[in-house]
């Protein structure tokens, strides 16, 4: 609440001046304190007094020194004095007054001190002629009462950030390759009984036994690049079909209907594998590669191609057959399965007895969703760090769990390890800022918050924005987040109704502070019918020694004389 443009006229009707002072018109000076009550901003209080003086304020060679001061419990604080003088006055400092009267503005900025919160702004005046003090005047008039310190209600919000888990379905893909003779789609015995098919059987049997879900099987046939395109398309399709028959035969041996679903098997002929040929060719130390590429892309049959290769080099034909063409005559099956996840109970048991048996994402998920004991979380993080030494999330989250137990030095050590792995990660920078905020090093905290630029870092800076008077910036950061600081920012920006809406939805329920801010809101809205009940509610559980502080808050000054205003 502010009283602006309220004129305070000072009439010194009871003051009898000596003969030399009767021409001073001090009783005709009018004062207007720009902000009443005074306001806290950026750890300072700014006092602005506008005053008007009458015609012929001082006699010739006269001057008036007006010295504002703040009176608080236990002492006074002198402010910068202001001097009004005639041109012929002995003093050559201060404002020269005009004979016809005029207006002047006084300003002073002082550092805020807590004892000034319930102070009174007063003044004293001294009348001087020819350098001689003729009269000191110290009327018991209050120009402004108290200092509004509502911005200091801002809560320091320091929330450490866990790097999120990526826990979810885990898939595995197994590749099985079968190779074919030239111009053939027949699968040889050596291929049916070879290591690739053995690997396929072992993969399918193991995961069928473990309850995995078989998602799909993609079978693709390929041909080497000799010959016409239509011939190669047919041949590659026949190779895919041949492998699919072998795959279906093997699946039928497994006692699991889900594995044998034919709808999950897709087969496709991929024609001649020009891309594969060029890739293998680039890896070889062979002369005239461009000429070779051109020959192959022409689609020559095998005899024509061999004749042309002989012209380039007598040994080139045999070398290309063994190392480039033969590996391209193949079919491949890609088997995709989804692992059966461990139950929550299994994960919790592992965390207690064998945390290193967890996968990386199981560990993160477990700590973020299933357990609350920070000491167990730390044990899990440390166990997984041995397997994943470059995983910054493990060290970051260990730091979070240390911080939540109050072990700030251990938290810093973990955060520093995370920072070493990923120096510019905003989550880590934010957590280091939060850590220094907890340690009381606000300068260092701000450095990290400005580097991080996360929402959490910006929210941590909001109390400083509010103290500095940057209310709109605070609103911009917080928006309509249902928090106490968001409501406070809206109030200080002049959006009192929005402040009340946010307080109703606030998630961090400090009932005392919410009720206090509601009372201030009603006072600024001049809603006495809502203010009085809210004050009574606020005072219900307030100790007697704290009642006076609330009831003398300058925010409520306009209502102090109201008949229903609570008594101290």
């Amino acid at each position: 609440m502010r009283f602006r443009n309220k004129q305070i006229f000072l009439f010194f009707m009871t003051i009898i001046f000596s003969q030399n002072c009767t021409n001073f018109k001090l009783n005709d000076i009018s004062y207007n304190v720009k902000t009443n009550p005074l306001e806290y901003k950026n750890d300072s209080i700014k006092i602005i007094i506008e005053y008007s003086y009458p015609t012929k304020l001082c006699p010739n060679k006269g001057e008036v020194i007006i010295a504002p001061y703040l009176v608080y419990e236990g002492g006074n604080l002198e402010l910068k004095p202001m001097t009004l003088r005639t041109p012929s006055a002995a003093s050559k400092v201060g404002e020269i007054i005009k004979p016809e009267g005029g207006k002047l503005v006084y300003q002073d900025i002082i550092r805020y001190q807590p004892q000034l919160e319930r102070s009174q702004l007063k003044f004293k005046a001294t009348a001087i002629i020819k350098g001689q003090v003729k009269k000191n005047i110290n009327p018991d008039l209050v120009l402004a009462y108290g200092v509004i310190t509502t911005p200091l209600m801002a809560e320091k919000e320091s929330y450490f950030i866990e790097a999120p888990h990526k826990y979810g379905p885990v898939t595995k893909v197994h590749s099985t390759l079968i190779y074919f003779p030239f111009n053939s789609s027949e699968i040889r015995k050596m291929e049916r009984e070879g290591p690739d098919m053995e690997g396929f059987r072992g993969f399918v049997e193991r995961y069928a036994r473990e309850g995995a879900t078989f998602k799909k099987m993609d079978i693709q046939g390929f041909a080497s690049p000799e010959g016409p395109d239509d011939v190669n398309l047919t041949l590659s399709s026949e190779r895919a079909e041949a492998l699919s028959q072998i795959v279906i035969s093997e699946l039928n041996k497994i006692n699991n209907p889900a594995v044998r679903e034919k709808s999950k098997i897709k087969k496709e002929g991929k024609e001649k594998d020009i891309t594969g040929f060029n890739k293998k060719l680039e890896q070889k130390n062979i002369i005239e590669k461009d000429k070779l590429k051109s020959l192959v892309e022409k689609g020559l049959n095998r005899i024509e191609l061999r004749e042309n290769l002989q012209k380039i080099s007598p040994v080139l034909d045999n070398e290309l057959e063994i190392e480039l063409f033969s590996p391209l005559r193949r079919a491949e099956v890609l088997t995709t399965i989804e692992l059966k996840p461990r139950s929550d109970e299994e994960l919790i048991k592992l965390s207690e007895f064998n945390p290193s048996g967890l996968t990386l994402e199981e560990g993160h998920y477990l700590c973020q969703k299933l357990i609350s004991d920070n000491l167990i979380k730390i044990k899990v993080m440390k166990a997984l760090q041995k397997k994943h030494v470059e995983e910054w999330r493990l060290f970051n989250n260990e730091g979070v769990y240390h911080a939540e137990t109050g072990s700030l030095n251990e938290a810093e050590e973990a955060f520093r390890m995370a920072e070493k792995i990923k120096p510019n990660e905003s989550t880590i920078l934010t957590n280091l800022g939060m850590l220094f905020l907890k340690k009381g090093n606000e300068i260092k905290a701000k450095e990290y918050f400005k580097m991080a630029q996360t929402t959490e870092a910006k929210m941590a800076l909001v109390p400083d924005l509010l103290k500095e008077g940057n209310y709109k910036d605070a609103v911009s950061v917080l928006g309509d987040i249902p928090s106490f600081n968001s409501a406070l920012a809206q109030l200080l920006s002049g959006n009192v109704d929005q402040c009340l809406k946010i307080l109703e939805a606030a998630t961090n329920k400090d009932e005392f502070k919410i009720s206090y801010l509601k009372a201030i809101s009603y006072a600024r809205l001049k809603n006495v019918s809502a203010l009085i009940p809210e004050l009574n509610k606020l005072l219900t559980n307030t100790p007697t020694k704290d009642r006076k502080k609330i009831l003398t808050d300058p925010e409520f000054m306009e209502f102090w004389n109201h008949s229903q205003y609570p008594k101290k």
Side-chain angles (χ1 to χ4, degrees):
M1 177 192 67
R2 301 167 179 81
F3 296 111
R4 298 185 183 276
N5 303 317
K6 180 178 179 182
Q7 299 293 326
I8 305 174
F9 294 96
L10 310 176
F11 300 101
F12 304 110
M13 305 303 295
T14 62
I15 300 172
I16 302 174
F17 295 100
S18 66
Q19 185 176 359
N20 288 328
C21 295
T22 54
N23 291 329
F24 283 90
K25 296 181 180 180
L26 298 181
N27 58 307
D28 290 336
I29 299 176
S30 63
Y31 298 81
N32 171 36
V33 180
K34 192 72 174 175
T35 304
N36 181 22
L38 302 173
E39 291 183 351
Y40 169 97
K41 186 177 288 187
N42 202 18
D43 212 27
S44 302
I45 305 168
K46 188 174 186 178
I47 299 104
I48 302 176
I49 305 173
E50 298 173 343
Y51 54 92
S52 302
Y53 59 89
T55 58
K56 297 180 180 180
L57 171 65
C58 297
N60 190 33
K61 298 184 181 180
E63 59 187 290
V64 176
I65 299 174
I66 300 175
Y69 64 99
L70 288 166
V71 181
Y72 58 89
E73 188 175 345
N76 295 344
L77 178 64
E78 301 286 341
L79 304 180
K80 178 179 68 177
M82 55 185 174
T83 300
L84 309 178
R85 66 182 179 87
T86 59
S88 58
S91 173
K92 298 304 178 185
V93 296
E95 299 285 346
I96 297 176
I97 58 175
K98 300 174 183 177
E100 67 272 19
K103 295 182 179 182
L104 291 168
V105 177
Y106 166 90
Q107 290 192 46
D108 195 10
I109 297 176
I110 61 171
R111 187 173 181 79
Y112 171 75
Q113 301 171 45
Q115 63 265 33
L116 300 179
E117 188 174 354
R118 301 295 186 267
S119 62
Q120 295 178 344
L121 177 61
K122 295 186 175 184
F123 78 96
K124 52 189 175 184
T126 302
I128 299 173
I129 290 182
K130 297 179 182 180
Q132 300 295 315
V133 175
K134 298 302 179 180
K135 193 70 176 179
N136 287 314
I137 306 162
N138 193 356
D140 189 25
L141 293 172
V142 179
L143 305 183
Y145 179 89
V147 180
I148 286 179
T149 58
T150 305
L152 294 178
M153 293 178 70
E155 298 176 333
K156 287 191 177 298
E157 297 182 312
S158 55
Y159 304 112
F160 291 95
I161 309 173
E162 287 177 287
H165 68 81
K166 300 174 184 176
Y167 184 70
V170 177
T171 60
K172 284 185 176 291
V173 179
H174 183 271
S175 170
T176 304
L177 283 167
I178 296 294
Y179 296 96
F180 297 85
F182 173 75
N183 203 30
S184 171
S185 60
E186 181 182 350
I187 298 179
R188 296 166 290 188
K189 181 179 180 182
M190 59 179 284
E191 295 290 344
R192 290 197 303 270
E193 298 177 356
D196 266 71
M197 283 306 300
E198 282 299 318
F200 172 78
R201 295 183 192 98
F203 180 84
V204 172
E205 288 172 359
R206 173 188 170 183
Y207 288 108
R209 187 168 58 249
E210 292 181 3
T213 302
F214 281 73
K215 306 297 287 184
K216 61 179 180 175
M217 291 185 182
D218 294 312
I219 303 174
Q220 298 176 335
F222 300 87
S224 57
E226 315 100 307
D229 291 348
D230 57 342
V231 172
N232 281 316
L233 175 59
T234 301
L235 183 58
S236 63
S237 298
E238 290 172 350
R239 285 171 175 170
E241 175 62 28
L243 180 54
S244 73
Q245 295 301 318
I246 295 290
V247 165
I248 291 170
S249 174
E250 294 296 335
L251 294 179
N252 286 335
K253 298 175 184 178
I254 298 172
N255 186 26
N256 187 330
V259 176
R260 300 195 297 269
E261 287 184 28
K262 291 186 179 181
S263 62
K264 295 179 180 179
I265 300 175
K266 294 183 179 179
K267 53 193 175 184
E268 179 185 12
K270 302 293 286 185
E271 303 182 7
K272 60 183 180 182
D273 191 2
I274 289 290
T275 301
F277 172 79
N278 289 335
K279 185 176 180 180
K280 287 181 178 294
L281 182 62
E282 290 300 321
Q283 297 170 352
K284 301 296 293 180
N285 185 21
I286 297 177
I287 60 173
E288 300 194 59
K289 289 183 180 180
D290 290 340
K291 186 178 287 188
L292 285 175
K293 286 182 182 180
S294 177
L295 283 173
V296 169
E297 287 171 359
K298 286 181 179 179
L300 302 175
N301 62 39
R302 193 180 190 195
I303 295 173
E304 293 170 333
L305 182 59
R306 293 186 72 175
E307 289 175 351
N308 280 275
L309 291 176
Q310 287 286 340
K311 294 176 183 179
I312 298 174
S313 170
V315 298
L316 191 57
D317 174 43
N318 189 53
E319 183 178 350
L320 292 182
E321 171 61 26
I322 295 172
E323 297 185 16
L324 270 69
F325 293 143
S326 182
L328 299 179
R329 300 168 191 140
R330 71 197 190 279
E332 180 180 25
V333 55
L334 295 173
T335 307
T336 303
I337 59 103
E338 183 178 296
L339 298 180
K340 180 183 179 182
R342 289 187 175 111
S343 67
D344 290 351
E345 292 75 15
E346 289 174 319
L347 293 177
I348 293 170
K349 189 173 181 180
L350 273 174
S351 72
E352 295 172 354
F353 300 106
N354 182 26
S356 60
L358 295 161
T359 67
L360 175 63
E361 298 308 330
E362 283 176 339
H364 282 307
Y365 169 75
L366 169 77
C367 290
Q368 292 173 38
K369 298 295 183 180
L370 302 182
I371 58 177
S372 57
D373 188 327
N374 280 315
L375 295 180
I376 296 178
K377 292 180 182 182
I378 291 168
K379 183 175 77 170
V380 170
M381 294 295 101
K382 284 186 173 296
L384 291 173
Q385 286 165 12
K386 294 175 182 178
K387 296 195 299 182
H388 306 279
V389 294
E390 293 298 316
E391 172 53 50
W392 69 269
R393 291 182 299 156
L394 292 171
F395 294 95
N396 177 83
N397 292 4
E398 180 197 346
V400 171
Y401 306 142
H402 277 304
E404 289 177 352
T405 63
S407 303
L408 299 185
N409 290 336
E410 289 82 354
E412 182 175 357
E413 184 179 345
F415 289 142
R416 292 296 186 196
M417 283 297 299
E419 184 185 29
K420 186 176 179 181
I421 296 168
K422 197 169 184 183
N424 298 315
E425 170 56 43
S426 60
T427 298
I428 302 167
L429 297 175
T430 300
N431 283 336
L432 282 165
M434 298 296 182
L435 180 78
F436 284 113
L437 200 62
K438 287 278 188 183
K439 286 187 169 186
N441 189 340
E442 293 193 11
I443 294 175
K444 199 74 175 174
K446 287 180 184 178
E447 289 177 7
Y448 277 102
F449 288 147
K450 287 176 181 177
M451 287 190 288
Q453 288 298 304
T454 59
T455 299
E456 292 83 358
K458 291 176 182 178
M459 288 175 66
L461 289 171
V462 162
D464 289 317
L465 292 176
L466 296 178
K467 288 183 195 176
E468 293 162 3
N470 298 318
Y471 307 140
K472 289 184 179 179
D473 289 346
V475 169
S476 177
V477 169
L478 296 172
D480 293 333
I481 292 173
S483 70
F484 180 84
N485 280 355
S486 178
L488 179 60
Q490 294 285 356
L491 174 83
L492 296 172
S493 296
N495 305 320
V496 185
D497 289 329
Q498 188 62 24
C499 166
L500 289 168
K501 287 180 182 178
I502 292 173
L503 288 175
E504 290 299 328
T507 53
N508 46 340
K509 291 285 188 180
D510 183 333
E511 295 296 341
F512 177 84
K513 293 189 75 171
I514 287 176
S515 182
Y516 204 150
L517 196 56
K518 281 184 179 180
I520 292 172
S521 300
Y522 295 138
R524 293 198 178 195
L525 290 171
K526 304 187 187 305
N527 185 348
V528 67
S529 62
L531 170 64
I532 300 302
E534 195 64 48
L535 276 175
N536 288 326
K537 173 185 172 183
L538 180 63
L539 296 168
T540 300
N541 297 314
T542 302
T544 304
K545 63 183 179 65
D546 296 327
R547 288 172 61 91
K548 180 180 178 181
K549 181 176 173 63
I550 295 172
L551 294 175
T552 58
D553 189 327
E555 289 277 11
F556 308 128
M557 186 170 68
E558 188 175 348
F559 305 94
W560 286 347
N561 295 323
H562 192 278
S563 60
Q564 294 181 312
Y565 194 77
K567 305 302 179 185
K568 299 176 187 176

